[in-house]
Amino acid sequence: MTQAKILIVDDLKTNILALSMILKQVDAELVTARSGNEALQKVLEHDISIILLDVNMPEMDGFEVAAFLKEDEATKHIPIIFVTAMDRHDGNSRKGYLSGAVDFIYKPIDSFVLLSKVNVFLDLWRLRAGLDSEIQQRKENEEKIRYLSDNDLLTGLCNRRGFHVRLKSEIARSKRSKEMFALLFLDLDGFKKINDSLGHEAGDYLLKELSKLFKNSLRNSDFIGRYGGDEFVVLLTGIKHESAITQKIEELIQIASQEFIYDTHIMKVSVSIGVALYPEHAQSDTKLLSYADTAMYLAKEEGKNCFRFYTQELNEKLKRELLLDEHLKYALERDEFELYFQPVIDLQKKEVVGAESLLRWKKNKTLGFVSPEEFIPITESNGLIYDIGLWVLEETLKLLDEHPQLYMAINASSLQFMNDSLYSKLKEHVESGRLDPSHLEVEITERLLLDNIGSPKNYLLDISALGFSLSIDDFGTGYSSLSYLKSCPVNTVKIDKSFVSNIPDTSNEALCKAIISMADALHLKVIAEGIETEFQKDFLTTLGCDYSQGYYFAKPLEKEAFLAFVAKGIQ
Ligand code: C2E
Ligand code: MG
Ligand code: MG
């Protein structure tokens, strides 16, 4: 707390000296003035706690000085003690109180009385000053809390809350001025990797640097906030043309993809950006944000390090995904799945050897039939694929329990190789003697092979080591080459149906021929998918293709129909 200050006002120097002598014992700084005017001046210059004011002064007397001080908001609370030689009973004291005095001291001065009165008022002043500073402190704290609740400490940008406030006011402003603006939703690609491999400090450093660069690249009228971990939101305001938006976005993408150096490490990320426009796409803050976010997901889906504008179709797609996601959560427990079996034919021996299990979801009352190509990716993103995958295995095993001579194939999603859920179930069934692994094939995608190379736990190898065979589904559509398969534990390739169904066609014919002869050289079995015509069947049989699957022989069938098909055989 600051020290108290007492202002002594008297036109006589001797009086000032006398008062000062007595007040030396008080814990306060003394300020003096020799006239009313000077007193008013000193009050302005100093933060005065009490005034000892002589009543009788030439030019401006004490009452006038008091009246001035009481008129001013800033000085009216300063306690004034009149010092006077006048008779305490002559009515002047009444005038003094009316002009704002809080007390009187009569001359000749009794130092004891002076000190005790001054001390009382000083105590009061200190109490009040303490209270004031407490209020000040509280105000500062509230200010700090408000700052923290609207701003992000790490980057200094405003946070999610602060951004919402700004977005709302931008909507109101643009509505009035009939202008358009763009809301950009940015999500860094590969940021988690940096955090995981180099630590949070490196990640924080990158976020800080990027925030600075992003901010510097924007105009003053634009706005940027940090929405979450590695998410940023940007407002590009007063837009006249969409080309101005794309130009700015390309600049942001450029900024994000540059290299940063932290403690001898080179860090590199990129950014995916979704854009929603006001008023074209939406006029509310929540919709704009959700649309920009949706568009950002599309940018991620379509390869990252790029931007996408929101579109109505995108919204439909997302709504549909959300709807399916909602229904999928209960599909297993409501027994909505069925397993169909598509016969696999030995082309050379002309017999049915087994089937591929294919999942069907058509018992949902609201949705009706939904293709696995549509719902499997959703089960992969919500994690349901693990349980659903085990259900498919279980249903396939039920068929194998009854017909152990068959060779069955199940499809497995790449995710099912990321943990041991599928592996440990397979192992359990082999060890219990329920399942002969040579009668079950697991179909995987080419992508999985590439991703799995050098991964810490290689469940592919483990599953193969249990005696199961692995086949590459939709072969030819992915990235691997046949020679690459040499190093992988793969036994079979399934030629993708897009090549087979285009036959007769010289380039597709050549492709099938090449796949079959190379697979032969690598001792891999070949299954041709999607045979629909006699010509295709004959063509592939002549090339020496081992097995086939396709509508020409049979569509995927319900269990009973499949078993009937097996019993009947093919002519
Ligand atoms: P896929 O594993 O390549 O399965 C073959 C797909 O081709 C099946 O489609 C099948 O009905 C279809 N097909 C077979 N022969 C012909 C033909 O002659 N002509 C035509 N046009 N199509 C034919 P489906 O059953 O719709 O399955 C689509 C995809 O969904 C599957 O492709 C597979 O990737 C996935 N899938 C299906 N069931 C499962 C499952 O249980 N788990 C996992 N992870 N994926 C599954
Ligand atoms: Mg398959
Ligand atoms: Mg396939």
Side-chain angles (χ1 to χ4, degrees), residues 383-405:
L384 288 172
I385 190 68
Y386 298 110
D387 285 346
I388 293 175
L390 293 182
W391 183 88
V392 168
L393 173 65
E394 196 51 38
E395 293 301 300
T396 305
L397 290 193
K398 281 183 193 162
L399 188 97
L400 269 178
D401 288 341
E402 295 159 19
H403 304 276
Q405 84 285 3

PDB file of all heavy atoms in Angstrom, residues 383-405:
ATOM      1  N   GLY A 383     -14.460 -48.131 -35.130  1.00  0.00           N
ATOM      2  CA  GLY A 383     -13.866 -49.219 -34.347  1.00  0.00           C
ATOM      3  C   GLY A 383     -14.742 -50.460 -34.222  1.00  0.00           C
ATOM      4  O   GLY A 383     -14.332 -51.455 -33.618  1.00  0.00           O
ATOM      5  N   LEU A 384     -15.954 -50.421 -34.800  1.00  0.00           N
ATOM      6  CA  LEU A 384     -16.832 -51.591 -34.691  1.00  0.00           C
ATOM      7  C   LEU A 384     -16.320 -52.781 -35.497  1.00  0.00           C
ATOM      8  O   LEU A 384     -16.744 -53.903 -35.292  1.00  0.00           O
ATOM      9  CB  LEU A 384     -18.239 -51.237 -35.183  1.00  0.00           C
ATOM     10  CG  LEU A 384     -19.054 -50.328 -34.260  1.00  0.00           C
ATOM     11  CD1 LEU A 384     -20.336 -49.896 -34.937  1.00  0.00           C
ATOM     12  CD2 LEU A 384     -19.370 -51.071 -32.973  1.00  0.00           C
ATOM     13  N   ILE A 385     -15.407 -52.494 -36.425  1.00  0.00           N
ATOM     14  CA  ILE A 385     -14.919 -53.540 -37.316  1.00  0.00           C
ATOM     15  C   ILE A 385     -14.318 -54.727 -36.542  1.00  0.00           C
ATOM     16  O   ILE A 385     -14.413 -55.867 -36.991  1.00  0.00           O
ATOM     17  CB  ILE A 385     -13.879 -52.987 -38.329  1.00  0.00           C
ATOM     18  CG1 ILE A 385     -13.536 -54.025 -39.420  1.00  0.00           C
ATOM     19  CG2 ILE A 385     -12.608 -52.533 -37.641  1.00  0.00           C
ATOM     20  CD1 ILE A 385     -14.655 -54.327 -40.359  1.00  0.00           C
ATOM     21  N   TYR A 386     -13.763 -54.457 -35.354  1.00  0.00           N
ATOM     22  CA  TYR A 386     -13.152 -55.563 -34.601  1.00  0.00           C
ATOM     23  C   TYR A 386     -14.208 -56.600 -34.223  1.00  0.00           C
ATOM     24  O   TYR A 386     -14.052 -57.794 -34.487  1.00  0.00           O
ATOM     25  CB  TYR A 386     -12.465 -55.030 -33.337  1.00  0.00           C
ATOM     26  CG  TYR A 386     -11.342 -54.072 -33.644  1.00  0.00           C
ATOM     27  CD1 TYR A 386     -11.461 -52.714 -33.356  1.00  0.00           C
ATOM     28  CD2 TYR A 386     -10.167 -54.521 -34.236  1.00  0.00           C
ATOM     29  CE1 TYR A 386     -10.432 -51.831 -33.646  1.00  0.00           C
ATOM     30  CE2 TYR A 386      -9.133 -53.641 -34.530  1.00  0.00           C
ATOM     31  CZ  TYR A 386      -9.272 -52.300 -34.234  1.00  0.00           C
ATOM     32  OH  TYR A 386      -8.261 -51.440 -34.534  1.00  0.00           O
ATOM     33  N   ASP A 387     -15.288 -56.125 -33.610  1.00  0.00           N
ATOM     34  CA  ASP A 387     -16.335 -57.059 -33.182  1.00  0.00           C
ATOM     35  C   ASP A 387     -17.043 -57.681 -34.376  1.00  0.00           C
ATOM     36  O   ASP A 387     -17.353 -58.876 -34.375  1.00  0.00           O
ATOM     37  CB  ASP A 387     -17.369 -56.326 -32.319  1.00  0.00           C
ATOM     38  CG  ASP A 387     -16.801 -56.050 -30.934  1.00  0.00           C
ATOM     39  OD1 ASP A 387     -15.752 -56.664 -30.613  1.00  0.00           O
ATOM     40  OD2 ASP A 387     -17.368 -55.232 -30.204  1.00  0.00           O
ATOM     41  N   ILE A 388     -17.283 -56.857 -35.389  1.00  0.00           N
ATOM     42  CA  ILE A 388     -17.972 -57.373 -36.575  1.00  0.00           C
ATOM     43  C   ILE A 388     -17.098 -58.421 -37.263  1.00  0.00           C
ATOM     44  O   ILE A 388     -17.573 -59.475 -37.689  1.00  0.00           O
ATOM     45  CB  ILE A 388     -18.340 -56.215 -37.535  1.00  0.00           C
ATOM     46  CG1 ILE A 388     -19.385 -55.325 -36.871  1.00  0.00           C
ATOM     47  CG2 ILE A 388     -18.852 -56.754 -38.872  1.00  0.00           C
ATOM     48  CD1 ILE A 388     -19.763 -54.078 -37.648  1.00  0.00           C
ATOM     49  N   GLY A 389     -15.791 -58.145 -37.316  1.00  0.00           N
ATOM     50  CA  GLY A 389     -14.849 -59.090 -37.929  1.00  0.00           C
ATOM     51  C   GLY A 389     -14.869 -60.430 -37.192  1.00  0.00           C
ATOM     52  O   GLY A 389     -14.844 -61.503 -37.816  1.00  0.00           O
ATOM     53  N   LEU A 390     -14.957 -60.370 -35.871  1.00  0.00           N
ATOM     54  CA  LEU A 390     -14.987 -61.621 -35.100  1.00  0.00           C
ATOM     55  C   LEU A 390     -16.307 -62.359 -35.321  1.00  0.00           C
ATOM     56  O   LEU A 390     -16.344 -63.599 -35.353  1.00  0.00           O
ATOM     57  CB  LEU A 390     -14.781 -61.328 -33.609  1.00  0.00           C
ATOM     58  CG  LEU A 390     -13.389 -60.806 -33.244  1.00  0.00           C
ATOM     59  CD1 LEU A 390     -13.265 -60.583 -31.741  1.00  0.00           C
ATOM     60  CD2 LEU A 390     -12.289 -61.754 -33.725  1.00  0.00           C
ATOM     61  N   TRP A 391     -17.367 -61.584 -35.499  1.00  0.00           N
ATOM     62  CA  TRP A 391     -18.678 -62.212 -35.779  1.00  0.00           C
ATOM     63  C   TRP A 391     -18.625 -62.960 -37.121  1.00  0.00           C
ATOM     64  O   TRP A 391     -19.100 -64.083 -37.234  1.00  0.00           O
ATOM     65  CB  TRP A 391     -19.766 -61.121 -35.789  1.00  0.00           C
ATOM     66  CG  TRP A 391     -21.146 -61.657 -36.005  1.00  0.00           C
ATOM     67  CD1 TRP A 391     -22.015 -62.108 -35.048  1.00  0.00           C
ATOM     68  CD2 TRP A 391     -21.813 -61.821 -37.265  1.00  0.00           C
ATOM     69  NE1 TRP A 391     -23.182 -62.533 -35.634  1.00  0.00           N
ATOM     70  CE2 TRP A 391     -23.087 -62.374 -36.992  1.00  0.00           C
ATOM     71  CE3 TRP A 391     -21.462 -61.568 -38.586  1.00  0.00           C
ATOM     72  CZ2 TRP A 391     -24.021 -62.663 -37.994  1.00  0.00           C
ATOM     73  CZ3 TRP A 391     -22.388 -61.863 -39.589  1.00  0.00           C
ATOM     74  CH2 TRP A 391     -23.650 -62.399 -39.300  1.00  0.00           C
ATOM     75  N   VAL A 392     -18.006 -62.323 -38.123  1.00  0.00           N
ATOM     76  CA  VAL A 392     -17.870 -62.952 -39.449  1.00  0.00           C
ATOM     77  C   VAL A 392     -17.069 -64.255 -39.320  1.00  0.00           C
ATOM     78  O   VAL A 392     -17.441 -65.294 -39.876  1.00  0.00           O
ATOM     79  CB  VAL A 392     -17.182 -61.985 -40.448  1.00  0.00           C
ATOM     80  CG1 VAL A 392     -16.781 -62.713 -41.726  1.00  0.00           C
ATOM     81  CG2 VAL A 392     -18.098 -60.807 -40.775  1.00  0.00           C
ATOM     82  N   LEU A 393     -15.999 -64.192 -38.557  1.00  0.00           N
ATOM     83  CA  LEU A 393     -15.178 -65.394 -38.354  1.00  0.00           C
ATOM     84  C   LEU A 393     -16.028 -66.494 -37.711  1.00  0.00           C
ATOM     85  O   LEU A 393     -16.031 -67.645 -38.159  1.00  0.00           O
ATOM     86  CB  LEU A 393     -13.970 -65.053 -37.471  1.00  0.00           C
ATOM     87  CG  LEU A 393     -13.116 -66.238 -37.032  1.00  0.00           C
ATOM     88  CD1 LEU A 393     -12.446 -66.900 -38.241  1.00  0.00           C
ATOM     89  CD2 LEU A 393     -12.047 -65.809 -36.022  1.00  0.00           C
ATOM     90  N   GLU A 394     -16.763 -66.117 -36.674  1.00  0.00           N
ATOM     91  CA  GLU A 394     -17.569 -67.094 -35.932  1.00  0.00           C
ATOM     92  C   GLU A 394     -18.608 -67.765 -36.850  1.00  0.00           C
ATOM     93  O   GLU A 394     -18.752 -68.990 -36.848  1.00  0.00           O
ATOM     94  CB  GLU A 394     -18.248 -66.377 -34.758  1.00  0.00           C
ATOM     95  CG  GLU A 394     -18.810 -67.275 -33.691  1.00  0.00           C
ATOM     96  CD  GLU A 394     -17.785 -68.298 -33.197  1.00  0.00           C
ATOM     97  OE1 GLU A 394     -16.573 -67.977 -33.067  1.00  0.00           O
ATOM     98  OE2 GLU A 394     -18.212 -69.438 -32.968  1.00  0.00           O
ATOM     99  N   GLU A 395     -19.305 -66.959 -37.662  1.00  0.00           N
ATOM    100  CA  GLU A 395     -20.330 -67.502 -38.566  1.00  0.00           C
ATOM    101  C   GLU A 395     -19.699 -68.409 -39.621  1.00  0.00           C
ATOM    102  O   GLU A 395     -20.275 -69.423 -39.999  1.00  0.00           O
ATOM    103  CB  GLU A 395     -21.091 -66.366 -39.261  1.00  0.00           C
ATOM    104  CG  GLU A 395     -21.954 -65.528 -38.329  1.00  0.00           C
ATOM    105  CD  GLU A 395     -23.006 -66.356 -37.601  1.00  0.00           C
ATOM    106  OE1 GLU A 395     -23.836 -66.973 -38.286  1.00  0.00           O
ATOM    107  OE2 GLU A 395     -22.971 -66.387 -36.347  1.00  0.00           O
ATOM    108  N   THR A 396     -18.513 -68.023 -40.079  1.00  0.00           N
ATOM    109  CA  THR A 396     -17.821 -68.844 -41.083  1.00  0.00           C
ATOM    110  C   THR A 396     -17.416 -70.179 -40.459  1.00  0.00           C
ATOM    111  O   THR A 396     -17.522 -71.243 -41.079  1.00  0.00           O
ATOM    112  CB  THR A 396     -16.577 -68.098 -41.606  1.00  0.00           C
ATOM    113  OG1 THR A 396     -16.991 -66.825 -42.087  1.00  0.00           O
ATOM    114  CG2 THR A 396     -15.895 -68.864 -42.718  1.00  0.00           C
ATOM    115  N   LEU A 397     -16.988 -70.112 -39.191  1.00  0.00           N
ATOM    116  CA  LEU A 397     -16.567 -71.344 -38.521  1.00  0.00           C
ATOM    117  C   LEU A 397     -17.747 -72.288 -38.298  1.00  0.00           C
ATOM    118  O   LEU A 397     -17.597 -73.508 -38.371  1.00  0.00           O
ATOM    119  CB  LEU A 397     -15.895 -71.021 -37.179  1.00  0.00           C
ATOM    120  CG  LEU A 397     -14.525 -70.338 -37.281  1.00  0.00           C
ATOM    121  CD1 LEU A 397     -13.816 -70.349 -35.939  1.00  0.00           C
ATOM    122  CD2 LEU A 397     -13.649 -71.010 -38.322  1.00  0.00           C
ATOM    123  N   LYS A 398     -18.921 -71.708 -38.066  1.00  0.00           N
ATOM    124  CA  LYS A 398     -20.107 -72.563 -37.887  1.00  0.00           C
ATOM    125  C   LYS A 398     -20.336 -73.416 -39.142  1.00  0.00           C
ATOM    126  O   LYS A 398     -20.674 -74.596 -39.058  1.00  0.00           O
ATOM    127  CB  LYS A 398     -21.348 -71.704 -37.623  1.00  0.00           C
ATOM    128  CG  LYS A 398     -21.438 -71.203 -36.193  1.00  0.00           C
ATOM    129  CD  LYS A 398     -22.730 -70.413 -35.986  1.00  0.00           C
ATOM    130  CE  LYS A 398     -22.674 -69.641 -34.682  1.00  0.00           C
ATOM    131  NZ  LYS A 398     -23.680 -68.563 -34.655  1.00  0.00           N
ATOM    132  N   LEU A 399     -20.131 -72.762 -40.297  1.00  0.00           N
ATOM    133  CA  LEU A 399     -20.297 -73.493 -41.549  1.00  0.00           C
ATOM    134  C   LEU A 399     -19.213 -74.562 -41.698  1.00  0.00           C
ATOM    135  O   LEU A 399     -19.479 -75.713 -42.079  1.00  0.00           O
ATOM    136  CB  LEU A 399     -20.233 -72.521 -42.733  1.00  0.00           C
ATOM    137  CG  LEU A 399     -20.588 -73.141 -44.067  1.00  0.00           C
ATOM    138  CD1 LEU A 399     -22.051 -72.855 -44.406  1.00  0.00           C
ATOM    139  CD2 LEU A 399     -19.712 -72.602 -45.176  1.00  0.00           C
ATOM    140  N   LEU A 400     -17.986 -74.162 -41.332  1.00  0.00           N
ATOM    141  CA  LEU A 400     -16.869 -75.114 -41.431  1.00  0.00           C
ATOM    142  C   LEU A 400     -17.018 -76.276 -40.444  1.00  0.00           C
ATOM    143  O   LEU A 400     -16.592 -77.401 -40.745  1.00  0.00           O
ATOM    144  CB  LEU A 400     -15.546 -74.404 -41.191  1.00  0.00           C
ATOM    145  CG  LEU A 400     -14.831 -73.835 -42.425  1.00  0.00           C
ATOM    146  CD1 LEU A 400     -13.559 -73.117 -42.011  1.00  0.00           C
ATOM    147  CD2 LEU A 400     -14.488 -74.949 -43.432  1.00  0.00           C
ATOM    148  N   ASP A 401     -17.626 -75.995 -39.278  1.00  0.00           N
ATOM    149  CA  ASP A 401     -17.860 -77.069 -38.289  1.00  0.00           C
ATOM    150  C   ASP A 401     -18.677 -78.184 -38.939  1.00  0.00           C
ATOM    151  O   ASP A 401     -18.415 -79.375 -38.754  1.00  0.00           O
ATOM    152  CB  ASP A 401     -18.661 -76.541 -37.087  1.00  0.00           C
ATOM    153  CG  ASP A 401     -17.816 -75.616 -36.200  1.00  0.00           C
ATOM    154  OD1 ASP A 401     -16.572 -75.689 -36.307  1.00  0.00           O
ATOM    155  OD2 ASP A 401     -18.401 -74.827 -35.434  1.00  0.00           O
ATOM    156  N   GLU A 402     -19.693 -77.742 -39.716  1.00  0.00           N
ATOM    157  CA  GLU A 402     -20.604 -78.724 -40.318  1.00  0.00           C
ATOM    158  C   GLU A 402     -20.044 -79.316 -41.612  1.00  0.00           C
ATOM    159  O   GLU A 402     -20.381 -80.436 -41.986  1.00  0.00           O
ATOM    160  CB  GLU A 402     -21.951 -78.052 -40.629  1.00  0.00           C
ATOM    161  CG  GLU A 402     -22.701 -77.582 -39.380  1.00  0.00           C
ATOM    162  CD  GLU A 402     -23.737 -76.495 -39.700  1.00  0.00           C
ATOM    163  OE1 GLU A 402     -24.125 -76.363 -40.880  1.00  0.00           O
ATOM    164  OE2 GLU A 402     -24.123 -75.759 -38.763  1.00  0.00           O
ATOM    165  N   HIS A 403     -19.203 -78.515 -42.303  1.00  0.00           N
ATOM    166  CA  HIS A 403     -18.692 -78.979 -43.609  1.00  0.00           C
ATOM    167  C   HIS A 403     -17.184 -78.759 -43.688  1.00  0.00           C
ATOM    168  O   HIS A 403     -16.706 -77.922 -44.430  1.00  0.00           O
ATOM    169  CB  HIS A 403     -19.403 -78.224 -44.751  1.00  0.00           C
ATOM    170  CG  HIS A 403     -20.889 -78.362 -44.685  1.00  0.00           C
ATOM    171  ND1 HIS A 403     -21.568 -79.433 -45.216  1.00  0.00           N
ATOM    172  CD2 HIS A 403     -21.830 -77.581 -44.092  1.00  0.00           C
ATOM    173  CE1 HIS A 403     -22.860 -79.285 -44.970  1.00  0.00           C
ATOM    174  NE2 HIS A 403     -23.049 -78.177 -44.283  1.00  0.00           N
ATOM    175  N   PRO A 404     -16.436 -79.558 -42.909  1.00  0.00           N
ATOM    176  CA  PRO A 404     -14.996 -79.297 -42.788  1.00  0.00           C
ATOM    177  C   PRO A 404     -14.217 -79.530 -44.075  1.00  0.00           C
ATOM    178  O   PRO A 404     -13.050 -79.152 -44.167  1.00  0.00           O
ATOM    179  CB  PRO A 404     -14.547 -80.264 -41.687  1.00  0.00           C
ATOM    180  CG  PRO A 404     -15.635 -81.252 -41.536  1.00  0.00           C
ATOM    181  CD  PRO A 404     -16.900 -80.672 -42.071  1.00  0.00           C
ATOM    182  N   GLN A 405     -14.846 -80.097 -45.084  1.00  0.00           N
ATOM    183  CA  GLN A 405     -14.126 -80.316 -46.356  1.00  0.00           C
ATOM    184  C   GLN A 405     -14.003 -79.035 -47.168  1.00  0.00           C
ATOM    185  O   GLN A 405     -13.204 -78.950 -48.102  1.00  0.00           O
ATOM    186  CB  GLN A 405     -14.826 -81.421 -47.178  1.00  0.00           C
ATOM    187  CG  GLN A 405     -16.004 -80.980 -48.044  1.00  0.00           C
ATOM    188  CD  GLN A 405     -17.308 -80.674 -47.247  1.00  0.00           C
ATOM    189  OE1 GLN A 405     -17.310 -80.744 -46.015  1.00  0.00           O
ATOM    190  NE2 GLN A 405     -18.375 -80.342 -47.940  1.00  0.00           N
TER     191      GLN A 405
END
